[in-house]
Short mmCIF file of all heavy atoms in Angstrom, two decimals:
data_model
loop_
_atom_site.label_atom_id
_atom_site.label_comp_id
_atom_site.label_asym_id
_atom_site.label_seq_id
_atom_site.Cartn_x
_atom_site.Cartn_y
_atom_site.Cartn_z
N MET A 1 80.84 62.50 76.24
CA MET A 1 79.53 63.00 76.63
C MET A 1 78.48 62.05 76.59
O MET A 1 78.43 61.25 75.79
CB MET A 1 79.21 64.43 75.89
CG MET A 1 80.24 65.44 76.22
SD MET A 1 79.47 67.02 76.30
CE MET A 1 78.55 67.16 74.89
N ALA A 2 77.44 62.53 77.25
CA ALA A 2 76.18 61.77 77.18
C ALA A 2 75.09 62.60 77.93
O ALA A 2 75.41 63.43 78.83
CB ALA A 2 76.40 60.24 77.90
N ALA A 3 73.87 62.27 77.56
CA ALA A 3 72.81 62.97 78.28
C ALA A 3 72.53 62.36 79.57
O ALA A 3 72.83 61.14 79.87
CB ALA A 3 71.46 62.77 77.49
N VAL A 4 72.31 63.29 80.57
CA VAL A 4 72.02 62.81 81.98
C VAL A 4 70.85 63.49 82.47
O VAL A 4 70.57 64.64 82.33
CB VAL A 4 73.36 63.35 82.84
CG1 VAL A 4 73.12 63.10 84.34
CG2 VAL A 4 74.56 62.90 82.40
N VAL A 5 70.06 62.59 83.18
CA VAL A 5 68.76 63.05 83.66
C VAL A 5 68.74 63.43 85.07
O VAL A 5 69.35 62.58 86.06
CB VAL A 5 67.57 61.98 83.52
CG1 VAL A 5 66.37 62.32 84.05
CG2 VAL A 5 67.50 61.49 82.07
N ASP A 6 68.26 64.62 85.47
CA ASP A 6 68.13 64.90 86.88
C ASP A 6 66.73 64.32 87.25
O ASP A 6 65.69 64.83 86.94
CB ASP A 6 68.07 66.52 87.05
CG ASP A 6 67.86 66.97 88.51
OD1 ASP A 6 67.40 66.09 89.42
OD2 ASP A 6 68.17 68.13 88.70
N GLU A 7 66.81 63.24 88.05
CA GLU A 7 65.69 62.58 88.41
C GLU A 7 64.69 63.38 89.28
O GLU A 7 63.41 63.10 89.17
CB GLU A 7 65.95 61.25 89.24
CG GLU A 7 66.69 60.30 88.32
CD GLU A 7 66.87 58.84 88.98
OE1 GLU A 7 66.57 58.76 90.08
OE2 GLU A 7 67.46 57.97 88.26
N ASP A 8 65.14 64.26 90.01
CA ASP A 8 64.15 65.19 90.80
C ASP A 8 63.47 66.05 89.84
O ASP A 8 62.26 66.39 90.25
CB ASP A 8 65.04 65.99 91.74
CG ASP A 8 65.55 65.20 92.84
OD1 ASP A 8 65.10 64.15 93.16
OD2 ASP A 8 66.69 65.59 93.42
N GLN A 9 63.92 66.26 88.63
CA GLN A 9 63.15 67.32 87.76
C GLN A 9 62.25 66.56 86.76
O GLN A 9 61.40 67.07 86.20
CB GLN A 9 64.20 68.04 86.87
CG GLN A 9 65.13 68.92 87.67
CD GLN A 9 64.58 70.25 87.83
OE1 GLN A 9 63.81 70.54 88.74
NE2 GLN A 9 64.86 71.11 86.93
N CYS A 10 62.58 65.23 86.58
CA CYS A 10 61.83 64.47 85.50
C CYS A 10 60.35 64.29 86.00
O CYS A 10 60.11 63.68 87.11
CB CYS A 10 62.48 63.07 85.23
SG CYS A 10 61.67 62.05 84.20
N VAL A 11 59.45 64.47 85.13
CA VAL A 11 58.05 64.33 85.42
C VAL A 11 57.43 63.11 84.55
O VAL A 11 56.27 62.98 84.42
CB VAL A 11 57.27 65.59 85.01
CG1 VAL A 11 57.71 66.77 86.01
CG2 VAL A 11 57.33 66.00 83.62
N ALA A 12 58.36 62.36 83.97
CA ALA A 12 57.94 61.00 83.38
C ALA A 12 57.01 61.16 82.29
O ALA A 12 56.12 60.40 82.01
CB ALA A 12 57.41 60.12 84.47
N CYS A 13 57.23 62.30 81.40
CA CYS A 13 56.33 62.46 80.28
C CYS A 13 56.74 61.55 79.03
O CYS A 13 55.87 61.39 78.34
CB CYS A 13 56.43 63.93 79.90
SG CYS A 13 57.87 64.50 79.14
N GLU A 14 57.91 61.08 79.03
CA GLU A 14 58.39 60.20 77.98
C GLU A 14 58.58 60.86 76.64
O GLU A 14 58.80 60.19 75.74
CB GLU A 14 57.51 59.01 77.85
CG GLU A 14 57.33 58.18 79.16
CD GLU A 14 56.81 56.69 79.04
OE1 GLU A 14 56.69 56.28 77.93
OE2 GLU A 14 56.45 56.21 80.11
N SER A 15 58.50 62.21 76.63
CA SER A 15 58.91 62.82 75.50
C SER A 15 60.20 62.59 74.79
O SER A 15 60.56 62.52 73.70
CB SER A 15 58.66 64.39 75.65
OG SER A 15 57.36 64.68 76.00
N CYS A 16 61.13 62.50 75.80
CA CYS A 16 62.50 62.22 75.48
C CYS A 16 62.74 60.93 74.84
O CYS A 16 63.38 60.71 73.86
CB CYS A 16 63.47 62.46 76.61
SG CYS A 16 63.02 61.34 78.04
N ILE A 17 61.99 59.94 75.33
CA ILE A 17 62.04 58.64 74.90
C ILE A 17 61.52 58.61 73.36
O ILE A 17 62.30 58.03 72.51
CB ILE A 17 61.24 57.60 75.69
CG1 ILE A 17 61.92 57.52 77.04
CG2 ILE A 17 61.15 56.27 75.13
CD1 ILE A 17 61.09 56.64 78.04
N GLU A 18 60.54 59.18 73.22
CA GLU A 18 59.82 59.29 71.86
C GLU A 18 60.81 59.92 70.83
O GLU A 18 60.89 59.67 69.63
CB GLU A 18 58.55 59.90 71.85
CG GLU A 18 57.50 59.08 72.66
CD GLU A 18 56.17 59.84 73.10
OE1 GLU A 18 56.08 60.86 72.48
OE2 GLU A 18 55.59 59.35 73.91
N SER A 19 61.52 60.93 71.29
CA SER A 19 62.31 61.81 70.37
C SER A 19 63.71 61.38 70.11
O SER A 19 64.45 61.79 69.24
CB SER A 19 62.28 63.22 70.97
OG SER A 19 63.14 63.39 72.05
N CYS A 20 64.42 60.44 71.05
CA CYS A 20 65.65 60.05 70.88
C CYS A 20 65.88 59.23 69.62
O CYS A 20 65.27 58.27 69.41
CB CYS A 20 66.00 59.33 72.22
SG CYS A 20 67.82 58.62 71.97
N PRO A 21 66.83 59.65 68.63
CA PRO A 21 66.90 58.94 67.37
C PRO A 21 67.83 57.58 67.55
O PRO A 21 67.82 56.74 66.79
CB PRO A 21 67.75 59.96 66.58
CG PRO A 21 68.45 60.82 67.64
CD PRO A 21 67.42 60.99 68.70
N ALA A 22 68.31 57.53 68.83
CA ALA A 22 69.34 56.36 69.10
C ALA A 22 68.59 55.37 69.91
O ALA A 22 69.26 54.41 70.38
CB ALA A 22 70.55 56.87 69.69
N GLU A 23 67.37 55.58 70.33
CA GLU A 23 66.62 54.70 71.36
C GLU A 23 67.54 54.54 72.59
O GLU A 23 67.68 53.40 72.97
CB GLU A 23 66.24 53.42 70.62
CG GLU A 23 65.43 53.74 69.59
CD GLU A 23 64.74 52.41 68.90
OE1 GLU A 23 65.14 51.22 69.31
OE2 GLU A 23 63.98 52.44 67.95
N ALA A 24 68.03 55.64 73.05
CA ALA A 24 68.96 55.48 74.11
C ALA A 24 68.40 55.87 75.59
O ALA A 24 69.06 55.79 76.50
CB ALA A 24 70.10 56.47 74.01
N ILE A 25 66.98 56.10 75.56
CA ILE A 25 66.46 56.35 76.75
C ILE A 25 65.22 55.39 77.04
O ILE A 25 64.47 54.98 76.19
CB ILE A 25 65.76 57.92 76.82
CG1 ILE A 25 66.83 58.77 76.25
CG2 ILE A 25 65.44 58.22 78.21
CD1 ILE A 25 66.39 60.24 76.16
N CYS A 26 65.18 54.90 78.34
CA CYS A 26 64.00 54.12 78.63
C CYS A 26 63.54 54.60 80.03
O CYS A 26 64.22 55.40 80.74
CB CYS A 26 64.47 52.61 78.76
SG CYS A 26 65.81 52.36 79.93
N MET A 27 62.42 54.07 80.56
CA MET A 27 61.96 54.41 81.88
C MET A 27 62.53 53.35 82.82
O MET A 27 62.58 52.28 82.53
CB MET A 27 60.41 54.45 81.93
CG MET A 27 59.85 55.53 80.99
SD MET A 27 60.32 57.25 81.37
CE MET A 27 59.45 57.47 82.95
N LYS A 28 62.88 54.00 83.93
CA LYS A 28 63.44 53.09 85.10
C LYS A 28 62.94 53.65 86.29
O LYS A 28 63.23 54.87 86.66
CB LYS A 28 64.98 53.19 84.99
CG LYS A 28 65.67 52.17 85.94
CD LYS A 28 67.17 52.14 85.61
CE LYS A 28 67.98 51.41 86.56
NZ LYS A 28 69.38 51.52 86.35
N ALA A 29 62.12 52.87 87.02
CA ALA A 29 61.60 53.41 88.32
C ALA A 29 60.75 54.62 88.03
O ALA A 29 60.99 55.66 88.94
CB ALA A 29 62.59 53.55 89.44
N ASP A 30 60.01 54.70 87.02
CA ASP A 30 59.30 56.02 86.82
C ASP A 30 59.99 57.21 86.40
O ASP A 30 59.54 58.32 86.56
CB ASP A 30 58.28 56.25 87.94
CG ASP A 30 57.11 55.26 87.69
OD1 ASP A 30 56.74 54.80 86.67
OD2 ASP A 30 56.46 55.02 88.81
N LYS A 31 61.35 57.09 86.01
CA LYS A 31 62.10 58.19 85.55
C LYS A 31 62.79 57.81 84.29
O LYS A 31 63.10 56.68 84.07
CB LYS A 31 63.23 58.62 86.69
CG LYS A 31 62.57 58.94 88.15
CD LYS A 31 61.89 60.20 88.07
CE LYS A 31 61.31 60.54 89.43
NZ LYS A 31 60.61 61.87 89.46
N ALA A 32 63.10 58.85 83.52
CA ALA A 32 63.91 58.60 82.32
C ALA A 32 65.25 58.18 82.66
O ALA A 32 65.95 58.78 83.55
CB ALA A 32 63.94 59.87 81.37
N ASN A 33 65.80 57.18 81.91
CA ASN A 33 67.23 56.71 82.13
C ASN A 33 67.89 56.59 80.81
O ASN A 33 67.50 56.05 79.96
CB ASN A 33 67.09 55.38 82.79
CG ASN A 33 68.37 54.57 83.08
OD1 ASN A 33 69.17 55.26 83.75
ND2 ASN A 33 68.53 53.52 82.42
N VAL A 34 68.99 57.25 80.63
CA VAL A 34 69.80 57.19 79.46
C VAL A 34 70.75 56.08 79.52
O VAL A 34 71.57 55.94 80.55
CB VAL A 34 70.50 58.58 79.33
CG1 VAL A 34 71.55 58.46 78.08
CG2 VAL A 34 69.61 59.74 79.30
N ILE A 35 70.82 55.38 78.51
CA ILE A 35 71.80 54.21 78.28
C ILE A 35 73.07 54.98 77.64
O ILE A 35 73.05 55.20 76.50
CB ILE A 35 71.22 53.10 77.37
CG1 ILE A 35 69.95 52.75 78.07
CG2 ILE A 35 72.35 52.02 77.29
CD1 ILE A 35 68.87 51.89 77.19
N LYS A 36 74.03 55.16 78.36
CA LYS A 36 75.12 56.12 77.90
C LYS A 36 75.77 55.51 76.82
O LYS A 36 76.26 56.28 75.91
CB LYS A 36 76.16 56.26 79.06
CG LYS A 36 75.63 57.10 80.16
CD LYS A 36 76.74 57.45 81.23
CE LYS A 36 76.26 58.32 82.29
NZ LYS A 36 77.20 58.62 83.37
N GLU A 37 75.82 54.12 76.61
CA GLU A 37 76.63 53.49 75.60
C GLU A 37 75.86 53.77 74.15
O GLU A 37 76.51 53.83 73.22
CB GLU A 37 76.77 52.04 75.76
CG GLU A 37 77.69 51.66 76.89
CD GLU A 37 76.98 51.96 78.32
OE1 GLU A 37 75.79 52.03 78.37
OE2 GLU A 37 77.74 51.93 79.30
N LYS A 38 74.62 54.13 74.40
CA LYS A 38 73.77 54.29 73.06
C LYS A 38 73.71 55.79 72.72
O LYS A 38 73.43 56.19 71.56
CB LYS A 38 72.42 53.83 73.22
CG LYS A 38 72.42 52.24 73.14
CD LYS A 38 70.93 51.80 73.42
CE LYS A 38 70.57 50.60 72.58
NZ LYS A 38 69.18 50.25 72.61
N CYS A 39 73.84 56.75 73.64
CA CYS A 39 73.69 58.12 73.38
C CYS A 39 74.68 58.75 72.47
O CYS A 39 75.86 58.38 72.55
CB CYS A 39 73.82 58.83 74.66
SG CYS A 39 73.71 60.61 74.52
N VAL A 40 74.30 59.46 71.45
CA VAL A 40 75.12 60.09 70.37
C VAL A 40 75.20 61.51 70.63
O VAL A 40 75.74 62.20 69.66
CB VAL A 40 74.64 59.63 68.96
CG1 VAL A 40 74.70 58.18 68.83
CG2 VAL A 40 73.22 60.14 68.74
N ASP A 41 74.93 61.95 71.72
CA ASP A 41 75.05 63.43 72.11
C ASP A 41 74.44 64.35 71.06
O ASP A 41 75.01 65.55 70.83
CB ASP A 41 76.59 63.77 72.13
CG ASP A 41 77.18 62.88 73.21
OD1 ASP A 41 76.65 62.58 74.18
OD2 ASP A 41 78.53 62.57 72.99
N CYS A 42 73.21 64.03 70.60
CA CYS A 42 72.60 64.77 69.62
C CYS A 42 71.81 66.13 70.27
O CYS A 42 71.56 67.06 69.68
CB CYS A 42 71.54 64.11 68.79
SG CYS A 42 70.13 63.63 69.67
N GLY A 43 71.53 66.05 71.48
CA GLY A 43 70.89 67.10 72.30
C GLY A 43 69.30 67.20 72.08
O GLY A 43 68.70 68.09 72.57
N THR A 44 68.72 66.25 71.22
CA THR A 44 67.30 66.41 70.99
C THR A 44 66.55 66.40 72.28
O THR A 44 65.50 67.10 72.49
CB THR A 44 66.97 65.26 70.04
OG1 THR A 44 67.68 65.32 68.85
CG2 THR A 44 65.40 65.45 69.83
N CYS A 45 66.91 65.44 73.19
CA CYS A 45 66.24 65.25 74.46
C CYS A 45 66.30 66.46 75.29
O CYS A 45 65.37 66.82 75.99
CB CYS A 45 66.61 63.96 75.18
SG CYS A 45 68.44 64.00 75.55
N VAL A 46 67.44 66.99 75.31
CA VAL A 46 67.62 68.30 76.14
C VAL A 46 66.72 69.40 75.60
O VAL A 46 66.02 70.10 76.52
CB VAL A 46 69.05 68.79 75.91
CG1 VAL A 46 69.35 70.05 76.75
CG2 VAL A 46 70.07 67.66 76.51
N ASP A 47 66.41 69.46 74.38
CA ASP A 47 65.71 70.64 73.87
C ASP A 47 64.27 70.29 74.03
O ASP A 47 63.39 71.13 74.19
CB ASP A 47 65.98 70.67 72.26
CG ASP A 47 67.39 71.18 71.95
OD1 ASP A 47 67.97 71.88 72.86
OD2 ASP A 47 67.79 70.99 70.86
N ILE A 48 63.84 68.98 73.97
CA ILE A 48 62.34 68.70 74.10
C ILE A 48 61.90 68.47 75.51
O ILE A 48 60.51 68.55 75.71
CB ILE A 48 62.18 67.32 73.16
CG1 ILE A 48 60.71 67.40 72.77
CG2 ILE A 48 62.37 66.09 74.08
CD1 ILE A 48 60.50 66.41 71.68
N CYS A 49 62.77 68.31 76.51
CA CYS A 49 62.20 68.10 77.79
C CYS A 49 61.52 69.29 78.34
O CYS A 49 62.08 70.41 78.44
CB CYS A 49 63.41 67.66 78.85
SG CYS A 49 62.75 67.47 80.49
N PRO A 50 60.25 69.12 78.75
CA PRO A 50 59.49 70.20 79.31
C PRO A 50 59.90 70.74 80.72
O PRO A 50 59.43 71.91 80.98
CB PRO A 50 57.96 69.68 79.28
CG PRO A 50 58.16 68.22 79.58
CD PRO A 50 59.46 67.84 78.82
N SER A 51 60.65 69.94 81.41
CA SER A 51 60.96 70.47 82.68
C SER A 51 62.54 70.69 82.86
O SER A 51 63.00 70.59 83.90
CB SER A 51 60.46 69.52 83.85
OG SER A 51 61.05 68.12 83.55
N ALA A 52 63.20 70.69 81.73
CA ALA A 52 64.69 70.97 81.73
C ALA A 52 65.37 69.94 82.63
O ALA A 52 66.31 70.34 83.41
CB ALA A 52 64.89 72.40 82.22
N ALA A 53 65.06 68.71 82.57
CA ALA A 53 65.57 67.72 83.34
C ALA A 53 66.83 67.04 82.84
O ALA A 53 67.37 66.13 83.52
CB ALA A 53 64.62 66.66 83.74
N ILE A 54 67.10 67.25 81.56
CA ILE A 54 68.22 66.67 80.80
C ILE A 54 69.39 67.66 80.45
O ILE A 54 69.08 68.77 79.92
CB ILE A 54 67.77 65.81 79.50
CG1 ILE A 54 66.53 65.10 79.86
CG2 ILE A 54 68.91 64.84 79.05
CD1 ILE A 54 66.02 64.21 78.77
N ARG A 55 70.45 67.14 80.72
CA ARG A 55 71.66 68.01 80.24
C ARG A 55 72.76 67.12 79.56
O ARG A 55 72.74 65.93 79.80
CB ARG A 55 72.32 68.82 81.38
CG ARG A 55 72.85 67.95 82.53
CD ARG A 55 73.28 68.75 83.68
NE ARG A 55 74.03 67.92 84.57
CZ ARG A 55 73.53 67.14 85.50
NH1 ARG A 55 72.15 66.99 85.52
NH2 ARG A 55 74.23 66.40 86.27
N LEU A 56 73.65 67.65 78.78
CA LEU A 56 74.70 66.93 78.22
C LEU A 56 75.88 67.25 79.05
O LEU A 56 76.17 68.43 79.41
CB LEU A 56 75.03 67.36 76.85
CG LEU A 56 73.97 66.83 75.71
CD1 LEU A 56 74.36 67.55 74.27
CD2 LEU A 56 73.88 65.38 75.68
N GLU A 57 76.56 66.13 79.50
CA GLU A 57 77.76 66.35 80.23
C GLU A 57 78.77 65.26 80.02
O GLU A 57 78.52 64.27 79.39
CB GLU A 57 77.56 66.49 81.83
CG GLU A 57 77.01 65.15 82.39
CD GLU A 57 76.97 65.41 83.96
OE1 GLU A 57 76.58 66.44 84.40
OE2 GLU A 57 77.11 64.31 84.65
S1 LIG B 1 71.34 63.31 73.35
FE1 LIG B 1 70.41 62.48 71.69
S2 LIG B 1 71.04 60.30 71.60
FE2 LIG B 1 71.54 61.15 73.61
S3 LIG B 1 69.74 60.41 74.77
FE3 LIG B 1 69.47 62.53 74.08
S4 LIG B 1 68.15 62.33 72.25
FE4 LIG B 1 69.11 60.34 72.61
S1 LIG B 2 61.32 64.60 78.64
FE1 LIG B 2 62.10 65.30 80.62
S2 LIG B 2 60.37 65.17 82.08
FE2 LIG B 2 59.92 63.89 80.14
S3 LIG B 2 60.55 61.84 80.73
FE3 LIG B 2 62.21 62.79 79.67
S4 LIG B 2 63.45 63.61 81.19
FE4 LIG B 2 61.55 63.15 82.11
#
């Protein structure tokens, strides 16, 4: 599993980047981008995203 961002939903607030304990998210073309190899499936970003743009799959 890994966190996946729905780019249409992402409002580029960067909250997920700040909250990720694994530093697995960066901005790419003004959208959050998860580096799957670094994601530890903790779900923190899913919980913190204000626009429900991230899910674990
Ligand atoms: S699930 Fe956890 S480790 Fe993975 S991107 Fe989200 S906050 Fe980071
Ligand atoms: S928290 Fe959600 S809206 Fe904010 S940058 Fe991350 S994915 Fe985008």
Side-chain angles (χ1 to χ4, degrees):
M1 290 222 305
V4 176
V5 176
D6 180 340
E7 294 188 353
D8 291 336
Q9 298 269 86
C10 177
V11 296
C13 70
E14 303 194 13
S15 296
C16 55
I17 294 174
E18 291 163 18
S19 69
C20 177
E23 298 186 358
I25 313 176
C26 58
M27 293 304 285
K28 186 174 175 183
D30 285 331
K31 301 291 178 180
N33 178 61
V34 176
I35 301 156
K36 289 186 178 177
E37 294 76 16
K38 288 180 140 187
C39 176
V40 296
D41 299 329
C42 68
T44 303
C45 58
V46 177
D47 293 338
I48 208 163
C49 178
S51 59
I54 315 182
R55 64 188 187 281
L56 289 174
E57 66 174 35

